[in-house]
Amino acid sequence: MGFKKFKQFLLDESGATAIEYGLLIALVAMACIAGFRALSGASGGRWDQTSSDLVNAMNP
């Protein structure tokens, strides 16, 4: 009787979809974080330049 329940447990795939969605969401989140980090590094210099331009414009 115990072996039959164990076999049913191994063949049960009802939780697999939730795990797959969780892994997919984690992958998308990692891609977003990597993209944001890449963009922040590229745009950081532009914000520094804009800040310097504003300070120079206010203090002629």
Side-chain angles (χ1 to χ4, degrees):
M1 184 156 181
F3 181 72
K4 186 175 182 180
K5 289 193 180 237
F6 181 69
K7 186 176 177 182
Q8 284 178 338
F9 174 74
L10 290 178
L11 296 175
D12 185 19
E13 295 184 6
S14 62
T17 303
I19 292 171
E20 290 168 357
Y21 280 128
L23 291 173
L24 185 61
I25 289 170
L27 181 63
V28 169
M30 288 173 40
C32 288
I33 291 169
F36 290 148
R37 290 190 69 169
L39 288 175
S40 70
S43 67
R46 292 183 188 207
W47 287 110
D48 291 338
Q49 181 62 40
T50 303
S51 173
S52 296
D53 291 344
L54 286 172
V55 168
N56 291 336
M58 292 183 173
N59 299 319

